Amino acid sequence: MEGAFQLEELDGAIALLTFDVPGQKVNTFSRAVRQEIEEIVAQLETRTNLNGLLFTSGKPGQFIAGADLNELGALIDAPRETVTEELAVGHALFDRVSRLPFPTVALIDGPCMGGGTELVLSMDCRLVSDNCKTKIALPEVKVGLIPGWGGTQRMPRLIGINAAIDMICGGAPISATRAVELGFAFDAVPADLLIDEGRRLIGIVREDDQWQADRQTRNQPLGLSEDQANFAFAVAEGHVAGKTKGQYPAPLAALRAMREGVNLPLAEGLAVERKIAMEVTGTPISAGLISVFFMTTALARDRGVDNPDVQARSVSRVGVLGAGLMGAGIATAHARSGVATCMVDVDNDRIGAGLASAEKVVGGRIKVGRATPQDMASMLACMNTSTSHAPFADCDVVIEAITENEEWKTAAYKQMTPHLRDDAILASNTSTISITRMAEAAPHPERFAGMHFFYPVDRMQLVEVIRGEKTDDETVVTLVELARRIRKTPIVMKDCPGFLVNRILLPYMNEALLMLIEGASMDAIDKASLKFGFPMGPIALHDLVGLDTACYAGQVMVNAFKDRAVQAPLLAELVEAGRMGKKSGAGFRQFVGRKSRPQADPAFDTFLAKHRTDEREFTSEEITDRLLLPMLLEATRILEEEIVREPGHVDMGLILGIGFPPFRGGLLHWCDSEGAGVLADKLAKYSSLGKRFEPTDSFTQMVKNDGKFFPRG
Ligand code: NAD
């Protein structure tokens, strides 16, 4: 096989080492690549006649994407000695690079990530291209790891402790300009001048043997005073702990590696890093986050149909019917992304409210520095409004987001038909109504689909694209592309009650109420869910989405899945009494005071008392099992019915749609890591609760075969 490195000699006894993994779009630092570079380093160690080394990528605008995540993900099944060796091998290699007998300069053009950044940190100098694609990052914490090949020790010694903490604990990239400001890179120059400037830099650092003096300095302790260290780390630890809530150990581990290592000589600091890296490498949390990374990448490429020849239609104008909570959000998302949009509602008051909420979204972003007044002007320039359907005549796609009432919706389709272009696509944002059924009222059922956004639209990334029985591929691909254009993540699915996310969420919501009736306290239920990693407990979620909405959606599930879906009558009773949750001031809890913080409400106890069947305490484990197992079984039914095409779509749908904890990799990854057999035993314990705890055929089969949703390898 052709190698990934090419070594040549330029005039002036300067070596040029070019990294270019054959047949790949990006350079990754895989095991094979590391072995190859080890041999080259061994050759270079003997070349005392060289004046310097330039290191570059053979892929213009693509430097190094980092370590091979497939290999890192596989470490979960590896013995601990293998993990130790992986870390030690990287350290030994970069240590040898840092000791080459001549100055070394990395020429960085394009993204330089993770292991790539750690490699260039072991060199004497770095030059970056002024290409806007050039970004430097140590993003390891995002996949549950720490920069474990020297990053936690070499980065602070180069750019100072505070900047290093930001880069390592946040994982965000810095630009070429910032890299120069921080002293990471000597200079930013046009990409085609990198080699010439690199040669010049070698000349500069060879004067007075500056490169050797710099090596000496970087091998020393950083020399932070006790006060400096205490302040930097205490602030960072508080910030990280607040953000990660004890569920993402990597950023705190990285901080500890820096705190314990930077004031030691480099070699000792690196030993500290290796020890701490062991704690997070190959763990289930890291494996879960690596899976999410791969699923995200796969989803970003998924066109939603199997036929590769189907092309998306071009969309230059979008109509949105309804300017309420969702309609305004959907119209804003399009207008913010530069898509000409027309928002229609029944009167000017509602249009005014819709526009006000659009301005609030962009205004809020301006306040936190994420948008500019120019963005507001551009959004408003892209947004038209009307109280008539006439402007839909120019629209390629019309998204209906009116009140959740099938009769109203289908009547609206009939009314707008004379105004729609014959080839227009019509999509509904319904949460609960059958797409296949409503398609019959649309002018062209093959160009009708669901496009289900989540609330609040500006913050929720997921869009469920639902195909009815007659929806054609072109419609699906067009809606998928449109969703991506407005920076959302579309998942394509077949029509079914609740679609993907609500169908799996509702058994969880409902089980919480059933446990409440059996004696569990609402605090215990919410706490167990938070402990598992959900952003909010199911009781709090009821109060937030509205008890009326939950009750209505639950009823849809009961009607659709009579064999297993049950609804606690308590919910309808609370709705009848006007207790809708936060929006009405009280639901399960009451919302009092200026900030409407949820508090226990004695008035609720009267409702509960009538329904309580028991008074026993529930353990946290029992609560989590009861909440998650019916979700899991519903997910297996979704796969049996081929509602989605990949198990990964279930996991990503739940991560993006309801905040299922990403560190668990999603619901099906959670099942894989617990073991289907273990969960089957738990299900057996709850068999008296009925069909909703009865293993499905596919699950039983999986247990029998000792199978997994995501077999490794
Ligand atoms: P909403 O009550 O806030 O807004 C509905 C809007 O539709 C109102 O402004 C109303 O005037 C308008 N409307 C009603 N009939 C109309 C007609 N014939 N022509 C033009 N406008 C008409 O409701 P919402 O929460 O925005 O929900 C809209 C849709 O989105 C529903 O199908 C709902 O199920 C779905 N949805 C809601 C959420 C949510 O969290 N609220 C989430 C996802 C999907």
Side-chain angles (χ1 to χ4, degrees):
M1 196 186 90
E2 208 187 325
F5 292 95
Q6 204 196 340
L7 184 60
E8 57 193 302
E9 201 164 321
L10 309 178
D11 291 346
I14 289 180
L16 175 68
L17 181 58
T18 306
F19 183 22
D20 191 356
V21 181
Q24 279 191 25
K25 277 199 190 137
V26 295
N27 291 320
T28 45
F29 222 66
S30 65
R31 203 166 290 142
V33 161
R34 288 199 315 269
Q35 279 163 2
E36 200 183 326
I37 198 175
E38 266 172 18
E39 286 167 23
I40 293 170
V41 169
Q43 273 180 47
L44 289 169
E45 281 167 337
T46 63
R47 297 290 309 275
T48 43
N49 55 344
L50 283 175
N51 281 328
L53 171 81
L54 299 175
F55 181 88
T56 186
S57 158
K59 302 183 195 294
Q62 279 299 342
F63 189 68
I64 303 181
D68 184 329
L69 279 181
N70 274 310
E71 289 176 4
L72 284 173
L75 287 178
I76 181 152
D77 294 327
R80 287 276 94 185
E81 304 81 65
T82 312
V83 180
T84 315
E85 202 184 312
E86 275 292 303
L87 292 165
V89 165
H91 271 249
L93 172 64
F94 293 170
D95 183 53
R96 284 168 67 191
V97 170
S98 75
R99 289 173 198 279
L100 284 172
F102 38 75
T104 50
V105 179
L107 309 176
I108 304 166
D109 175 35
C112 173
M113 302 282 134
T117 302
E118 293 178 294
L119 170 66
V120 302
L121 278 170
S122 71
M123 298 185 182
D124 295 306
C125 312
R126 289 140 295 274
L127 279 173
V128 286
S129 76
D130 55 10
N131 181 347
C132 64
K133 277 175 84 180
T134 296
K135 302 247 182 276
I136 319 293
L138 285 172
E140 284 83 349
V141 292
K142 294 192 172 171
V143 288
L145 301 171
I146 69 169
W149 284 339
T152 67
Q153 303 304 307
R154 289 197 171 97
M155 191 61 100
R157 283 171 172 81
L158 188 62
I159 65 172
I161 193 65
N162 292 320
I165 287 175
D166 281 354
M167 273 190 85
I168 292 171
C169 295
I174 57 168
S175 66
T177 316
R178 183 76 181 135
V180 177
E181 279 168 12
L182 289 175
F184 174 88
F186 178 78
D187 201 359
V189 301
D192 56 354
L193 294 186
L194 277 171
I195 291 187
D196 286 348
E197 290 298 313
R199 295 167 69 117
R200 210 162 68 83
L201 185 54
I202 287 175
I204 295 172
V205 296
R206 285 189 72 87
E207 279 169 25
D208 308 331
D209 286 339
Q210 185 58 40
W211 61 286
Q212 279 175 329
D214 288 345
R215 277 189 190 182
Q216 287 275 326
T217 312
R218 286 199 209 116
N219 283 333
Q220 303 303 313
L222 185 56
L224 292 181
S225 71
E226 211 176 308
D227 281 353
Q228 282 171 322
N230 283 343
F231 183 73
F233 289 110
V235 170
E237 275 160 12
H239 180 70
V240 168
K243 274 186 106 169
T244 55
K245 302 194 172 78
Q247 279 154 342
Y248 296 83
L252 281 179
L255 275 177
R256 195 150 44 85
M258 286 186 265
R259 188 197 264 272
E260 291 177 19
V262 292
N263 267 352
L264 300 174
L266 179 64
E268 290 173 39
L270 289 170
V272 168
E273 179 191 270
R274 276 199 299 279
K275 190 173 86 188
I276 294 178
M278 279 295 292
E279 296 170 16
V280 290
T281 312
T283 59
I285 291 179
S286 166
L289 292 170
I290 290 174
S291 303
V292 173
F293 174 86
F294 282 124
M295 290 188 293
T296 307
T297 315
L299 203 51
R301 289 199 205 107
D302 183 45
R303 304 175 72 238
V305 299
D306 296 330
N307 182 351
D309 299 329
V310 180
Q311 294 301 316
R313 305 241 309 268
S314 96
V315 176
S316 47
R317 195 171 285 272
V318 167
V320 178
L321 186 69
L325 219 51
M326 295 303 289
I330 295 167
T332 310
H334 284 85
R336 264 183 60 208
S337 303
V339 181
T341 307
C342 184
M343 180 168 71
V344 173
D345 206 306
V346 290
D347 59 39
N348 281 327
D349 282 355
R350 286 169 222 232
I351 292 284
L355 271 180
S357 92
E359 286 179 29
K360 199 167 158 206
V361 166
V362 182
R365 294 179 66 81
I366 294 175
K367 247 190 212 155
V368 296
R370 292 187 151 206
T372 61
Q374 176 58 36
D375 294 324
M376 177 74 92
S378 313
M379 184 277 287
L380 290 173
C382 282
M383 175 92 85
N384 272 323
T385 57
S386 177
T387 51
S388 125
H389 293 163
F392 289 160
D394 291 336
C395 293
D396 306 287
V397 172
V398 173
I399 303 168
E400 167 275 303
I402 67 168
T403 316
E404 187 73 345
N405 178 313
E406 186 165 349
E407 254 176 62
W408 293 14
K409 285 183 192 275
T410 50
Y413 303 158
K414 298 263 185 242
Q415 281 163 16
M416 72 168 96
T417 296
H419 300 277
L420 290 182
R421 262 192 3 225
D422 197 46
D423 62 350
I425 290 174
L426 180 58
S428 173
N429 182 49
T430 178
S431 312
T432 55
I433 307 170
S434 161
I435 296 299
T436 299
R437 211 167 50 228
M438 286 207 292
E440 294 310 319
H444 298 285
E446 68 279 14
R447 284 200 291 284
F448 182 80
M451 199 173 182
H452 185 220
F453 291 80
F454 288 72
Y455 178 77
V457 180
D458 61 313
R459 273 187 273 139
M460 298 297 284
Q461 217 188 318
L462 180 64
V463 176
E464 293 182 319
V465 174
I466 304 123
R467 53 187 317 159
E469 270 168 22
K470 294 190 181 158
T471 311
D472 64 21
D473 279 359
E474 193 185 50
T475 299
V476 170
V477 174
T478 306
L479 294 180
V480 163
E481 283 214 355
L482 181 61
R484 282 210 185 107
R485 208 164 132 203
I486 61 170
R487 290 164 287 184
K488 301 287 175 200
T489 303
I491 297 184
V492 175
M493 61 202 63
K494 285 191 203 155
D495 189 16
C496 70
F499 313 134
L500 169 66
V501 171
N502 284 340
R503 180 164 164 186
I504 299 178
L505 174 66
L506 280 158
Y508 159 93
M509 300 273 278
N510 194 48
E511 204 61 34
L513 303 194
L514 295 173
M515 283 190 278
L516 193 60
I517 287 166
E518 288 167 42
S521 81
M522 62 174 96
D523 287 349
I525 296 171
D526 278 353
K527 238 191 226 160
S529 163
L530 291 174
K531 192 168 145 210
F532 183 81
F534 282 102
M536 180 180 285
I539 304 290
L541 188 59
H542 270 97
D543 275 334
L544 187 76
V545 298
L547 272 57
D548 49 340
T549 308
C551 187
Y552 177 70
Q555 200 50 53
V556 170
M557 305 311 270
V558 171
N559 295 342
F561 306 121
K562 292 196 175 59
D563 62 330
R564 56 185 184 274
V566 276
Q567 193 170 45
L570 167 69
L571 191 57
E573 208 169 291
L574 290 166
V575 173
E576 215 159 282
R579 298 181 69 102
M580 308 289 186
K582 188 170 182 187
K583 62 185 170 188
S584 71
F588 287 95
R589 297 184 174 98
Q590 59 178 329
F591 296 80
V592 287
R594 212 163 44 84
K595 291 200 165 158
S596 290
R597 290 247 162 82
Q599 280 178 22
D601 182 359
F604 168 78
D605 296 340
T606 324
F607 288 91
L608 182 59
K610 279 191 276 171
H611 294 271
R612 271 252 153 112
T613 54
D614 204 345
E615 279 299 336
R616 73 186 178 88
E617 272 192 21
F618 282 62
T619 63
S620 174
E621 188 189 347
E622 182 177 4
I623 294 172
T624 323
D625 289 346
R626 288 272 303 264
L627 292 175
L628 281 146
L629 293 172
M631 290 177 99
L632 175 65
L633 293 179
E634 206 52 48
T636 65
R637 293 185 192 99
I638 280 183
L639 292 175
E640 285 172 11
E641 294 166 28
E642 298 179 349
I643 300 295
V644 290
R645 289 164 304 131
E646 310 261 347
H649 293 181
V650 171
D651 279 354
M652 286 307 292
L654 294 179
I655 288 171
L656 298 175
I658 62 167
F660 194 97
F663 69 88
R664 298 197 183 268
L667 178 65
L668 302 179
H669 271 97
W670 166 76
C671 172
D672 279 358
S673 64
E674 294 290 301
V678 172
L679 297 184
D681 292 344
K682 290 191 169 193
L683 280 169
K685 257 183 24 196
Y686 299 113
S687 60
S688 63
L689 293 173
K691 179 97 179 174
R692 63 186 199 283
F693 285 90
E694 186 181 300
T696 54
D697 290 347
S698 60
F699 187 71
T700 306
Q701 201 57 40
M702 180 175 282
V703 174
K704 226 181 181 173
N705 301 340
D706 199 14
K708 284 183 184 295
F709 290 104
F710 304 92
R712 288 189 193 282

